[in-house]
Amino acid sequence: MVRYIAESEEDFKTIQEPPPVAYLTLIVGGRMSHSFPLRSEVNMGREKSNAIVVADQKVSRYHASLTPIDDTFIISDRGSANGTYVNGVLIAQPTRLKNNDRISVGDAAFLFTTHPPDPEASDHAVSPPPPSPPPASPSSSSLTSKITNSNVSVWVLIGCMILIIIALLFFVAVLLGLFIGRTQIPGMMILGLAQINGLF
């Protein structure tokens, strides 16, 4: 459930009320629903003190804010748990909105326009924004890099161990060759001396 709360009751009674700079239209089931005029800074969130209240557990109490600049608005995430998406992309810093940008907070989707929404457009389907990827937690990305680094270090360690084993085998082979060669030389010398003395 989404509802719009004016800053004060006087907003409705002012005769010379400035015209809206832009509009935020709720999209329900791919169709335009309620439209909210944007004149000044507007806060969105689950808390009732926000101008646009979104009753959704995926929406933070103070989720995002829209601030007027020139002839449009800048949207800023206010440190929400699940993030704010513009056209399916998670925003990390204040983002300048363009006409027909899609804004997603929790499961609620809005269409930002710089002109009044067409009343007949509510009868036509509005293509839903592309599905937003789940927010990547910093711990999962650091865990992935740790796993990758540990895999690299494991393979380096295995490679070093293989080289050490090959070097040891080569060293053992050389020692055996020297040992066998030395044991044959004294045996051959004894055999040779025995033949000379006519023992064999």
Side-chain angles (χ1 to χ4, degrees):
M1 180 179 129
V2 178
R3 63 191 173 109
Y4 180 71
I5 301 174
E7 286 77 11
S8 69
E9 292 299 319
E10 295 300 316
D11 288 347
F12 295 108
K13 297 176 183 175
T14 307
I15 296 173
Q16 296 180 343
E17 188 173 45
V21 176
Y23 297 85
L24 202 59
T25 305
L26 178 65
I27 299 172
V28 179
R31 298 183 181 276
M32 288 190 189
S33 181
H34 300 86
S35 184
F36 310 106
L38 304 175
R39 292 181 177 84
S40 59
E41 183 170 2
V42 174
N43 293 319
M44 304 171 68
R46 208 172 65 240
E47 184 66 34
K48 292 179 181 177
S49 61
N50 291 294
I52 298 177
V53 179
V54 183
D56 179 353
Q57 290 301 314
K58 294 179 184 175
V59 175
S60 295
R61 290 174 56 220
Y62 302 100
H63 198 100
S65 63
L66 295 156
T67 309
I69 182 169
D70 300 331
D71 57 347
T72 186
F73 277 75
I74 289 180
I75 187 166
S76 304
D77 186 82
R78 298 175 70 187
S80 65
N82 293 315
T84 302
Y85 293 81
V86 175
N87 298 324
V89 178
L90 177 67
I91 61 169
Q93 58 189 9
T95 303
R96 188 181 185 104
L97 293 171
K98 299 181 296 295
N99 191 39
N100 292 325
D101 274 349
R102 307 298 173 96
I103 299 169
S104 299
V105 291
D107 290 330
F110 298 89
L111 177 66
F112 174 85
T113 56
T114 54
H115 53 77
D118 184 1
E120 295 180 9
S122 62
D123 296 334
H124 303 293
V126 176
S127 60
S132 52
S137 63
S139 59
S140 67
S141 61
S142 63
L143 179 63
T144 304
S145 64
K146 285 179 184 176
I147 290 172
T148 304
N149 290 341
S150 66
N151 284 344
V152 169
S153 60
V154 166
W155 285 111
V156 168
L157 181 64
I158 290 173
C160 290
M161 289 177 64
I162 289 173
L163 287 175
I164 291 171
I165 290 171
I166 290 172
L168 285 173
L169 287 174
F170 180 75
F171 183 71
V172 167
V174 169
L175 284 178
L176 282 176
L178 289 175
F179 180 74
I180 290 173
R182 285 186 182 167
T183 56
Q184 286 180 354
I185 291 173
M188 287 172 40
M189 288 176 64
I190 292 172
L191 186 60
L193 287 172
Q195 282 181 353
I196 292 173
N197 290 328
L199 294 174
F200 293 103

